Amino acid sequence: MNKNISTIVTLYKTPLEKLNNLKQYKVFKLMLFEQEGSSYARANIKKILKFKFKYFFSRENIGLSKSSNFLFKNVKTRFFLFTQPDIKINSKSILALKRIIIQNKDLIFVTPNFSINSKIKKKNISFVKKINAACMMCDANKLKKIGFFDEDYFLYWEDIDLIKKINDSNYKMAIANNIFAKHDSSQSSENTMRIRFLRQSNFIYGELLYDFKHKKLRKIKIIRKLLQNSFLFFFNIFIFQLKVGLINLAHLIGVCKFIFYYLKKKLKL
């Protein structure tokens, strides 16, 4: 086992074939946090993986930000891979990502190249202002100084907020051009209507929250989203487009969730 790298993954209604992807982290310290998990679920995962890992769970869905921060607080190694069950990457690539951080003292995150059909480039890494945070090698010591995810976010936009925080700091992010990984985007969880509803509502909530936190929010945007999705909800129900109508309802709930957050903040002031 490579004792210098931890791998942290949050699970939520994860399909069996994606749990099998976790086998690629066998030689590292694997730490899992399962939303709506249980000791029974841990036993099932143990049967699939057949190697030691640390398992934490909550009985309800506490959100990606909180679960990721919990795992980060339990990381004892200097380096850790933040990743998802729908990522495919081999151990050699993970070790190569770690070497890149060691060689660049201001680097806090480095990600693999998700364009698997890309040609080999002369330049091994590219320093960038934006990364795909689905899979990234992190320097834990540097991250402790500025903090990981903002726990006001639930599922989306926490990575965008973190990226802005990095860009506002003295640290850098990079893409490893010749280290490849595959991301089956949005396949970490089951593709049910309940989960699509959860994603859609929290995407809208996160978008408004991000604008609010970074002083870009206009009240007209909130009003427009409320009116637009209210109209579309009733229209789609009227024409029997129930699935589309439910997405409009999810957007409405996301807006309402933000309004409650906003009012709560204002009352505290």
Side-chain angles (χ1 to χ4, degrees), residues 2 10 38 48 75 94 96 129-130 134 153 170 172 201:
N2 189 301
T10 290
S38 65
I48 294 169
V75 168
I94 293 171
K129 294 293 185 181
K130 185 178 179 181
Y153 295 95
N170 294 321
K172 296 179 180 179
S201 62

Side-chain angles (χ1 to χ4, degrees), residues 2 7 10 13 25 55-56 59 80 86 107 118-119 141 146 156 182 184 186 202 205 252 267-268:
N2 189 301
T7 303
T10 290
K13 308 291 185 184
Y25 308 119
Y55 178 87
F56 307 93
R59 297 194 181 280
F80 71 95
D86 55 4
L107 197 58
S118 297
K119 295 180 180 179
N141 292 342
I146 64 171
Y156 289 106
K182 182 180 179 184
D184 296 325
S186 298
N202 280 289
Y205 165 72
L252 277 172
L267 288 173
K268 283 184 177 180

Side-chain angles (χ1 to χ4, degrees), residues 11-243:
L11 306 175
Y12 179 63
K13 308 291 185 184
T14 305
L16 178 61
E17 65 271 19
K18 301 306 175 187
L19 287 175
N20 277 309
N21 284 347
L22 300 177
K23 292 177 181 177
Q24 64 198 348
Y25 308 119
K26 183 177 181 178
V27 297
F28 306 105
K29 292 184 175 181
L30 177 62
M31 301 168 63
L32 306 176
F33 188 103
E34 186 166 23
Q35 314 279 15
E36 299 180 17
S38 65
S39 298
Y40 175 76
R42 179 190 183 280
N44 285 336
I45 295 171
K46 190 174 181 180
K47 288 179 183 178
I48 294 169
L49 299 186
K50 296 183 174 65
F51 64 87
K52 289 184 179 181
F53 58 90
K54 286 189 176 181
Y55 178 87
F56 307 93
F57 71 93
S58 58
R59 297 194 181 280
E60 59 183 24
N61 189 345
I62 63 172
L64 180 63
S65 295
K66 287 184 178 179
S67 60
S68 299
N69 284 351
F70 178 89
L71 289 172
F72 173 51
K73 288 175 184 175
N74 283 275
V75 168
K76 305 301 181 186
T77 55
R78 178 184 167 187
F79 303 100
F80 71 95
L81 186 75
F82 172 81
T83 187
Q84 299 178 8
D86 55 4
I87 295 288
K88 290 184 179 179
I89 185 171
N90 60 49
S91 57
K92 288 184 179 179
S93 294
I94 293 171
L95 291 170
L97 290 174
K98 185 192 82 168
R99 286 195 294 270
I100 289 173
I101 289 193
I102 292 173
Q103 292 164 4
N104 295 270
K105 65 176 184 178
D106 294 327
L107 197 58
I108 190 169
F109 299 144
V110 60
T111 71
N113 186 345
F114 293 103
S115 301
I116 56 176
N117 294 322
S118 297
K119 295 180 180 179
I120 299 297
K121 298 182 179 180
K122 291 182 180 179
K123 195 174 181 181
N124 289 330
I125 64 171
S126 296
F127 291 100
V128 293
K129 294 293 185 181
K130 185 178 179 181
I131 58 171
N132 183 339
C135 178
M136 54 187 186
M137 181 63 68
C138 312
D139 187 320
N141 292 342
K142 294 170 186 170
L143 196 54
K144 286 174 183 176
K145 295 177 182 178
I146 64 171
F148 203 16
F149 291 130
D150 182 334
E151 294 187 2
D152 286 342
Y153 295 95
F154 187 83
L155 182 58
Y156 289 106
W157 291 84
E158 74 288 330
D159 55 338
I160 306 299
D161 186 85
L162 177 62
I163 287 168
K164 186 180 187 310
K165 183 162 59 173
I166 301 303
N167 286 327
D168 290 341
S169 73
N170 294 321
Y171 295 122
K172 296 179 180 179
M173 300 174 291
I175 297 174
N177 294 318
N178 299 323
I179 299 173
F180 299 97
K182 182 180 179 184
H183 185 197
D184 296 325
S185 185
S186 298
Q187 294 186 31
S188 289
S189 301
E190 297 171 351
N191 188 24
T192 64
M193 192 63 214
R194 176 191 173 192
I195 291 174
R196 290 200 296 272
F197 193 94
L198 182 71
R199 285 174 173 163
Q200 291 290 332
S201 62
N202 280 289
F203 184 87
I204 296 297
Y205 165 72
E207 177 186 355
L208 295 173
L209 180 61
Y210 180 85
D211 286 349
F212 171 70
K213 283 180 175 287
H214 299 288
K215 304 185 187 307
K216 298 195 301 181
L217 182 64
R218 295 182 299 159
K219 291 181 181 178
I220 189 65
K221 183 175 183 178
I222 301 173
I223 295 169
R224 184 176 70 248
K225 286 186 178 293
L226 281 172
L227 294 177
Q228 182 184 56
N229 284 288
S230 295
F231 170 78
L232 289 173
F233 169 70
F234 288 110
F235 176 76
N236 283 308
I237 294 298
F238 180 75
I239 63 172
F240 300 104
Q241 295 291 327
L242 301 183
K243 289 184 178 180

